[in-house]
Amino acid sequence: MGKIFSHMTMSLDGYIAQPDDQVGELFDWYEAGDVVVPNPNEDISVKVDDAGAEAWRDLTENTGALIAGRRLFDIAGGWNDKHPAGAPVVVVTHRPPADATEKWPTTTFVDGVEAAINRAKQIAGDQNVTIASANVTQQALDLGLVDEVCVSLVPVLFGEGIPYFSKIEGGHLLLDDPIVIQGRRALHLRYPVRR
């Protein structure tokens, strides 16, 4: 049975985007090297350093489904129904797009975080599920459904923006020691959640 990961690229001061939803320098690590990372979306190219390629493989090679929030889905244009991770996407939303089945046939829309995780686990089978949304991650952490918290930490300070983490409903959440991959323009961290 696969695990439930969360992953976001984050500024050193904890933001995943600027207040206007733009990522600024956060995704510079996707162009920080010469290693071309193949992905099913021809509109998105990823050329990272060796360490970035290792981190990318760790996060995507065994990913059977990805969960996103509606906000990210809209910003990314649904990745043209081909997420770079190469996995089907489950979107948490109270209002699916009217043309969802025609425009995004491999994307599933569900109402609620727990339903999204259950559906993503069904899709993924024995593979992992990755959550790529700060809000969905927060709710999944509160529900005790995340096995590992992953962060690609970028050397930039935003000063304000959209945070990866916010208030933890149950108080402190303890994580185990990190698994670390030092890359160019990003430090990739994986923290198993203590049970």
Side-chain angles (χ1 to χ4, degrees), residues 13 53 62 73 91 118 135 140 151 166 170 175-176 178 187 195:
D13 53 350
N62 195 34
F73 177 82
V91 178
N118 288 334
N135 186 278
V151 179
S166 59
L175 308 172
D176 284 334
L187 179 64
R195 299 282 184 218

Side-chain angles (χ1 to χ4, degrees), residues 56 61 67 111 130 151 157 174 191:
W56 179 278
E61 274 188 350
I67 300 172
D111 184 9
T130 299
V151 179
L157 297 169
L174 295 177
Y191 294 92

Side-chain angles (χ1 to χ4, degrees), residues 78-156:
W79 302 278
N80 294 326
D81 209 35
K82 295 178 189 169
H83 192 279
V89 177
V90 177
V91 178
V92 179
T93 181
H94 298 295
R95 296 178 319 279
D99 57 351
T101 54
E102 297 84 37
K103 195 168 182 180
W104 300 285
T106 66
T107 301
T108 304
F109 297 88
V110 297
D111 184 9
V113 170
E114 200 162 3
I117 289 180
N118 288 334
R119 183 65 185 119
K121 286 168 73 173
Q122 289 174 345
I123 293 168
D126 291 335
Q127 293 184 298
N128 298 325
V129 171
T130 299
I131 303 169
S133 163
N135 186 278
V136 174
T137 294
Q138 190 66 50
Q139 293 179 61
L141 285 168
D142 288 341
L143 292 168
L145 299 174
V146 177
D147 297 308
E148 284 191 29
V149 174
C150 305
V151 179
S152 292
L153 190 62
V154 176
V156 62

